[in-house]
Amino acid sequence: MPDKRFHLGWFMNFTPDEWREPFAQGGLPWDGQFYIEMAQTLERGCFDYIMIEDKLMVSDTYGGSTEAGLRTGMMAPKHDPVPLAVAMGMATSRLGIVATMSTLGYPPFLMARLSSTIDSLTKGRFGWNVVTSAEDLAARNFGLDKLPPRELRYAMADEYMEVMDKLFDSWDEGAVVLDRKKGVYADYKKVHPIHHEGQFFKVRGPLNTVRCPQGRPVYVQAGASPRGRDFAAKHADSIVSIANGVQGMKEFREDIRARAAGFGRNPDDIKILYCVTPTLGETEEDAHAKQKRMLESPNFIEDILVSISAITDIDFSKYPLDEPLPGRLVTNGEQGSLDKFQNYGSGKTLRELVVDGAGGLVSSVELVGTPEQVAARMGEVMEHVGGDGFLITTPVLRVSRRYLVEVVDGLVPALQRRGLARTSYAHEMLRDNLREF
Ligand SMILES: Cc1cc2nc3c(=O)[nH]c(=O)nc-3n(C[C@H](O)[C@H](O)[C@H](O)COP(=O)(O)O)c2cc1C
């Protein structure tokens, strides 16, 4: 029988958990415990990885003020994903843990050292979501007046990755000898300086951490523009994407695979996970009613507009809700997310853009129904697209325990019964699990 299994990830961030709804958790997850339990729950569902989104600012783009963002708790407060990743990793044994860190924020040496250390702490389950940052406000927290243009950001990021790879390889396999008789811990002949001098970075090396279990952490990336797709196709082990419908998913995958082959890579080494926001119910009617309640909630539209404003540097409060946008909007920030959202040419009003997507900013394809129905639909979609899996989340990323249980104890078993999801982990390390099928 052909192996029809696909991969599952979860997309979240270290912001308040769901705190406004009837099944809210409290909104104060700052000791990390809520998210640590979340990671354990996902491991029960044999997810490949949990991915922690991150941004480096308190946005004041929407309405020209931080008021709406802070009032709703959308996008801020947002705590650092890295210590949380470590805590999650220490409380699990198979789940991959992916943290977002921006090339804007860390010099390559610190990035390599930090990721290598976490990969060792998690015994080879660490992934780095490689982002270049996409907001002028973030740039202004790092000594810049505004974000460098996209081309330059990616050119810098390409060299950044070159330095990272050199640093990870600065310790050969077998450099740690641990010969007690001879009194040798590490063989100095197997630890090399890298002497990197490029256009943007100058790094001597070697790393002062041992070679990490995966050699280098798993690289996750989300490039969406042509330049971003090249970057992702060149470097990533896993690409996360928000696509427009089944056809958009298929086109994106074919495009990425062609680009990867062009870079001399085996396209099967890249697992593309598409964002979805399943709405699950006891019955189909129940699921649709639930979705309707969410879409009609006064919070929903504002939450979405605050988020899209923050990641595009465009103030969406200035556009009338019941009119189409004035034309195709362009940003130096997350153009891919903006294009998905604005659905240019559809003639939809702003309100319809928010509501019709049903999953808000992060839904590639609509999934509403009973666990059995949604599992069946996911299977059909993957068959049409060709692979490689889904990145589950909610429209605004926040979660409650109830939603987690619906997915992990409802949807995942339904997928497993259909032979669409793994029932146990075959490997200990994240890259091996990604390449299992
Ligand atoms: C699923 C997904 C997750 C992302 N996570 C982050 C993130 O955590 N931090 C960030 O700054 N950008 C994030 N991005 C933005 C991407 O890194 C990228 O900037 C965006 O997709 C636009 O692509 P482009 O740079 O090729 O235009 C994410 C994008 C997607 C689709």
Side-chain angles (χ1 to χ4, degrees):
M1 234 175 68
D3 190 345
K4 293 189 294 179
R5 289 177 300 171
F6 47 75
H7 298 270
L8 292 176
W10 195 298
F11 186 42
M12 45 73 75
N13 51 24
F14 198 177
T15 51
D17 47 273
E18 183 52 77
W19 57 279
R20 284 181 308 210
E21 302 301 319
F23 289 89
Q25 305 306 149
L28 293 171
W30 311 123
D31 66 2
Q33 201 53 46
F34 173 80
Y35 290 120
I36 291 168
E37 284 174 26
M38 173 176 181
Q40 291 168 329
T41 304
L42 297 183
E43 187 164 77
R44 179 153 55 79
C46 298
F47 273 62
D48 287 75
Y49 60 76
I50 184 168
M51 168 167 161
I52 316 170
E53 181 263 9
D54 197 32
K55 292 285 173 189
L56 297 164
M57 78 283 172
V58 176
S59 180
D60 61 7
T61 307
Y62 185 79
S65 158
T66 56
E67 190 275 330
L70 288 174
R71 172 170 43 77
T72 56
M74 284 308 308
M75 308 294 285
K78 186 171 287 181
H79 283 207
D80 196 306
V82 178
L84 181 64
V86 175
M88 284 172 166
M90 305 303 269
T92 49
S93 64
R94 291 292 183 277
L95 180 72
I97 316 282
V98 178
T100 301
M101 290 182 272
S102 172
T103 55
L104 182 75
Y106 291 81
F109 186 88
L110 284 185
M111 182 75 85
R113 184 168 190 248
L114 186 57
S115 330
S116 162
T117 302
I118 306 178
D119 197 51
S120 287
L121 285 169
T122 57
K123 301 194 171 87
R125 291 180 292 125
F126 186 60
W128 169 35
N129 178 29
V130 185
V131 301
T132 61
S133 284
E135 304 81 17
D136 287 339
L137 268 181
R140 285 162 65 188
N141 288 330
F142 294 89
L144 302 172
D145 293 327
K146 60 204 284 253
L147 206 60
R150 182 178 294 105
E151 283 296 317
L152 178 59
R153 287 204 314 274
Y154 277 117
M156 291 173 79
D158 263 325
E159 190 185 322
Y160 195 107
M161 300 309 284
E162 190 189 328
V163 179
M164 294 288 284
D165 286 339
K166 286 182 186 170
L167 284 170
F168 290 126
D169 283 336
S170 64
W171 283 63
D172 295 346
E173 279 180 43
V176 175
V177 178
L178 256 185
D179 186 331
R180 294 175 58 152
K181 272 202 195 110
K182 290 189 186 141
V184 180
Y185 187 84
D187 177 354
Y188 79 103
K189 289 191 232 95
K190 294 186 171 168
V191 182
H192 319 279
I194 65 166
H195 295 302
H196 176 89
E197 280 193 42
Q199 195 184 343
F200 306 107
F201 303 103
K202 192 170 165 186
V203 183
R204 184 187 181 276
L207 265 192
N208 56 350
T209 56
V210 302
R211 191 177 176 86
C212 63
Q214 297 186 100
R216 59 169 176 78
V218 157
Y219 293 151
V220 178
Q221 226 281 322
S225 61
R227 185 68 181 82
R229 289 180 186 203
D230 266 346
F231 181 78
K234 196 166 163 189
H235 302 287
D237 297 290
S238 179
I239 295 178
V240 291
S241 166
I242 308 162
N244 245 332
V246 181
Q247 199 49 30
M249 294 164 76
K250 191 174 163 71
E251 282 165 17
F252 181 79
R253 184 165 185 270
E254 280 165 11
D255 181 61
I256 289 288
R257 290 173 67 85
R259 286 173 199 263
F263 289 119
R265 295 190 66 194
N266 177 356
D268 291 339
D269 289 349
I270 305 177
K271 302 302 175 190
I272 303 174
L273 270 53
Y274 292 95
C275 280
V276 286
T277 60
T279 306
L280 301 162
E282 269 78 6
T283 64
E284 192 177 349
E285 300 72 51
D286 178 49
H288 280 287
K290 217 163 145 188
Q291 190 195 36
K292 189 158 178 279
R293 269 202 307 278
M294 175 186 79
L295 297 178
E296 287 174 359
S297 140
N299 298 325
F300 186 72
I301 290 184
E302 189 182 28
D303 283 353
I304 298 288
L305 293 180
V306 167
S307 306
I308 188 79
S309 298
I311 65 176
T312 59
D313 286 336
I314 295 172
D315 179 4
F316 277 84
S317 75
K318 63 182 189 211
Y319 299 119
L321 265 179
D322 292 305
E323 290 175 24
L325 293 168
R328 180 172 183 260
L329 302 175
V330 181
T331 175
N332 184 30
E334 290 197 30
Q335 186 67 45
S337 310
L338 178 59
D339 284 338
K340 156 75 174 98
F341 175 70
Q342 66 182 334
N343 199 355
Y344 182 63
S346 67
K348 290 183 176 169
T349 65
L350 182 54
R351 187 189 303 277
E352 286 165 345
L353 289 177
V354 172
V355 170
D356 283 7
L361 300 177
V362 283
S363 173
S364 305
V365 66
E366 188 175 284
L367 297 173
V368 185
T370 64
E372 292 298 336
Q373 289 171 324
V374 170
R377 178 73 186 134
M378 287 169 84
E380 281 163 22
V381 170
M382 269 300 120
E383 204 167 320
H384 187 80
V385 172
D388 301 292
F390 293 96
L391 190 66
I392 295 181
T393 186
T394 68
V396 287
L397 273 63
R398 356 182 113 119
V399 280
S400 63
R401 283 198 186 96
R402 173 170 142 164
Y403 182 63
L404 274 168
V405 164
E406 285 175 355
V407 172
V408 173
D409 296 327
L411 179 59
V412 170
L415 289 168
Q416 289 170 335
R417 284 193 290 273
R418 290 179 149 71
L420 298 174
R422 67 160 67 85
T423 52
S424 64
Y425 291 97
H427 301 285
E428 294 188 356
M429 293 200 241
L430 173 54
R431 187 176 292 106
D432 294 336
N433 281 321
L434 283 171
R435 292 192 184 171
E436 186 196 350
F437 46 82

